[in-house]
Amino acid sequence: MTDLDLGGGYSARPISLEAYRAACARLEDRIFGGNSLFAFDPPVRAAPPLGESWNWGVFHGADLIGWHHAHARDERTVYMADTGLLPEHQGRGVYSRLLPHLLDAFRAAGFTLVQSHHRATNNAVILPKLRAGFHLQGLSAYEGGVNAALTLSLDGAYMQAMHVRSGFRAPSGEAARRLGVPDEGLPGLADAPGLPLPADAEAGVDLGGGYALHRVPTATYREVYAQLEASAYETDSFDWGDREPAPAPRGPLWSWLISHAGRVAGWQASRAWDTRTAYMVNTALLPAHRGRGVYTRLLPVVLDALHGEGYPLVRSHHHLTNNAVIVPKLRAGFRFQGVQVDEHGVMAVLLRSFDPAYAAYMDRRSGLTR
């Protein structure tokens, strides 16, 4: 890899493993000194051989201000083990501009998977990774705190298999063949009937682009949902069959419909989870209205409404590989909290705190801060 121009006076170039380690010894306290890390006693065993590694220095002008270190984990996997930038150079998009060059190098080296771990509340790093195509894979507790595990597949079939495992997509095609499961690809989304906005919808909040968000009675939301569910979801959920469900949880339910040109374009429903927490149960946009930033603009309106109801915390669950929803949630201040398996698949648990003290507590629990 030759020198890389990262813009804004920043560049990156390969350095030796020894130069990387020397930079760590000199600068890591300035970069990572605010983190909470368990202090082990001195090791009694030698470290295993590192194997092939890749090391880059990040420069501002002639000054070394950061680095990236990666090493091979096995014949298919490269592990992005360590990235650091001095605090005064963070928040300038340097990492986001460096990342695609690193991934190109790993792809050219023949790797199939790229893995990394980050403090579970470190959205500043997790977000660029998710936007680059990484997916959340789970949580691990280690000496540095609680880490989110991320994986990027450079193999399209494996990426589809990740969607199958999370329940975000049914198995089909090459992914189904390689997983050794029947090809059960769903027939696709049903055509969406053009439902007019119900007469009992309240006056809407303008979301821009001709979209609006309207409060509606719960019964109206459920009626619309029943008519449009097949047009909004193609996930692979467990079918409970004819089992009679228990009564719905008690507590308030807030329901909204999203409109465009006088017709229903989607919905959002939330309810109480406990005495401090509201739960964003269900949000959907019909396919014709996706990719227009509607969900991103909807989020602050719904969050303000739930906070106004007196809830300091908002919780939501999403398929682990559904970056189209997880990324806007993290950008809105949600933090990755865990993984659960339910009838919909393997789900990421996200939490948003309106209480800055609790948000700081989440950072301490993850080990991001002291």
Side-chain angles (χ1 to χ4, degrees):
M1 177 188 265
T2 58
D3 287 16
L4 301 172
D5 182 3
L6 301 178
Y10 293 94
S11 63
R13 62 175 177 267
I15 58 176
S16 68
L17 180 61
E18 291 71 25
Y20 154 70
R21 287 173 170 166
C24 287
R26 182 164 55 91
L27 299 177
E28 63 183 353
D29 282 349
R30 290 177 59 190
I31 295 175
F32 303 119
N35 291 350
S36 172
L37 187 70
F38 181 80
F40 279 109
D41 292 332
V44 297
R45 297 179 59 87
L50 182 60
E52 189 175 7
S53 69
W54 292 261
N55 309 281
W56 289 270
V58 181
F59 297 83
H60 187 247
D63 297 327
L64 178 71
I65 55 90
W67 58 75
H68 176 73
H69 163 74
H71 56 261
R73 268 201 162 157
D74 55 40
E75 67 275 17
R76 294 188 180 91
T77 311
V78 62
Y79 181 55
M80 298 181 70
D82 183 31
T83 306
L85 291 171
L86 289 172
E88 58 267 30
H89 297 279
Q90 296 172 12
R92 301 183 182 184
V94 178
Y95 184 74
S96 294
R97 299 195 297 274
L98 173 65
L99 187 54
H101 297 289
L102 301 179
L103 298 180
D104 285 345
F106 301 144
R107 186 179 289 106
F111 287 104
T112 303
L113 303 175
V114 185
Q115 295 181 340
S116 65
H117 291 89
H118 311 277
R119 299 302 202 284
T121 60
N122 191 2
N123 286 4
V125 174
I126 293 174
L127 272 167
K129 284 285 183 70
L130 296 184
R131 286 198 294 260
F134 284 76
H135 290 117
L136 293 168
Q137 295 288 281
L139 287 180
S140 63
Y142 82 126
E143 69 268 22
V146 181
N147 265 355
L150 304 183
T151 296
L152 169 69
S153 172
L154 303 176
D155 179 316
Y158 189 87
M159 184 177 294
Q160 290 304 311
M162 293 167 72
H163 290 315
V164 172
R165 291 297 193 201
S166 80
F168 191 50
R169 292 286 181 266
S172 64
E174 182 67 6
R177 186 187 71 80
R178 294 203 197 184
L179 286 169
V181 298
D183 187 329
E184 297 177 356
L186 300 178
L189 295 173
D191 292 336
L195 290 186
L197 187 69
D200 56 1
E202 296 181 8
V205 176
D206 184 8
L207 299 178
Y211 292 91
L213 186 66
H214 309 261
R215 277 275 182 96
V216 295
T218 297
T220 300
Y221 152 73
R222 287 177 172 153
E223 181 180 344
V224 170
Y225 180 88
Q227 295 181 70
L228 294 179
E229 178 184 12
S231 303
Y233 299 112
E234 50 184 340
T235 52
D236 187 24
S237 297
F238 179 77
D239 183 0
W240 288 102
D242 296 330
R243 183 188 300 267
E244 186 67 25
R250 296 179 181 179
L253 179 74
W254 302 277
S255 306
W256 291 268
L257 293 178
I258 305 161
S259 72
H260 184 264
R263 296 188 178 277
V264 176
W267 55 81
Q268 205 293 309
S270 297
R271 64 168 173 84
W273 180 270
D274 57 31
T275 56
R276 293 187 179 91
T277 312
Y279 175 47
M280 295 183 68
V281 180
N282 183 264
T283 310
L285 283 162
L286 296 175
H289 303 281
R290 297 172 186 169
R292 301 183 182 185
V294 179
Y295 186 74
T296 299
R297 301 195 298 273
L298 169 150
L299 267 176
V301 179
V302 173
L303 292 176
D304 285 348
L306 298 177
H307 189 207
E309 296 286 348
Y311 292 93
L313 303 174
V314 179
R315 177 186 180 105
S316 66
H317 304 153
H318 311 278
H319 290 95
L320 272 183
T321 58
N322 188 2
N323 285 5
V325 172
I326 292 174
V327 166
K329 278 284 178 70
L330 296 184
R331 292 178 67 182
F334 282 77
R335 308 289 181 84
F336 184 39
Q337 294 288 283
V339 174
Q340 70 175 39
V341 180
D342 62 23
E343 68 267 28
H344 299 299
V346 185
M347 313 295 282
V349 179
L350 304 183
L351 193 72
R352 169 71 159 87
S353 173
F354 296 106
D355 182 336
Y358 191 83
Y361 165 82
M362 293 163 70
D363 287 338
R364 185 173 74 84
R365 282 296 183 202
S366 78
L368 184 64
T369 63
R370 294 181 178 176

